[in-house]
């Protein structure tokens, strides 16, 4: 049977995940115009892959089989094609005058940041509600 502690643990793990999602989206936005990286190629958009956390051996021994949180499984590069922009005066332009631009879509990144921010706020609220519930229970015991 899940406990309040596992609920707090699940929300806390989600806070870490949402922070990572925000950091990756900010990095993508910051590099939306980076036409040359250390490898000589334009920046590639990054995305966060999430996975559920497994119960600890202790939780499994108690019979708890459900996931107890979430974690970042990987941060992967988006392999979609680069955008092309005509700018023959750009130093990275090809023979036809096109520049390979990062595959970052600013509106999509803003939606990702907003979604991660809302999820972060929801998990903070959940932790706060659990804390308040425990305080009320302790007050009743007095």
């Amino acid at each position: 049977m899940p406990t309040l502690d596992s609920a707090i643990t699940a929300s806390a793990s989600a806070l870490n995940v949402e922070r990572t999602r925000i950091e990756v989206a900010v990095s993508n936005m910051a590099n939306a115009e980076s036409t040359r990286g250390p490898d000589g190629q334009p920046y590639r958009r990054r995305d966060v892959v999430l996975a559920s956390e497994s119960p600890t051996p202790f939780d499994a021994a108690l019979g708890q089989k459900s996931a107890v949180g979430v974690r970042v499984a990987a941060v992967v590069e988006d392999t979609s094609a680069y955008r092309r922009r005509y700018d023959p005066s750009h130093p990275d332009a090809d023979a036809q005058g096109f520049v390979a631009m990062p595959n970052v879509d600013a509106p999509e990144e803003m939606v990702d940041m907003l979604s991660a921010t809302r999820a972060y706020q929801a998990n903070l609220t959940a932790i706060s509600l659990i804390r308040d519930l425990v305080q009320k229970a302790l007050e009743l015991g007095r």
Side-chain angles (χ1 to χ4, degrees), residues 5-69:
D5 182 50
S6 64
I8 289 175
T9 301
S11 288
S13 69
L15 291 176
N16 288 328
V17 164
E18 299 309 334
R19 180 188 47 79
T20 301
R21 285 183 58 210
I22 292 169
E23 289 173 355
V24 168
V26 167
S27 174
N28 289 339
M29 288 292 290
N31 288 290
E33 297 290 320
S34 299
T35 59
R36 189 182 318 164
D39 60 354
Q41 296 295 314
Y43 177 83
R44 281 215 177 266
R45 179 182 182 274
R46 287 165 174 70
D47 204 7
V48 179
V49 177
L50 307 179
S52 62
E53 286 185 340
S54 300
T56 65
F58 180 73
D59 291 331
L62 293 176
Q64 183 179 354
K65 295 183 173 104
S66 63
V68 293

Side-chain angles (χ1 to χ4, degrees), residues 89-137:
S89 64
H90 195 284
D92 292 327
D94 62 13
Q96 292 82 30
F98 287 96
V99 179
M101 299 298 293
N103 56 351
V104 175
D105 182 31
E108 182 180 345
E109 297 305 323
M110 293 301 293
V111 169
D112 284 350
M113 280 192 280
L114 184 59
S115 170
T117 301
R118 297 284 188 227
Y120 192 93
Q121 290 171 341
N123 282 290
L124 280 177
T125 301
I127 290 171
S128 178
L129 288 172
I130 293 167
R131 186 196 66 211
D132 291 347
L133 178 68
V134 169
Q135 280 183 324
K136 294 289 184 191

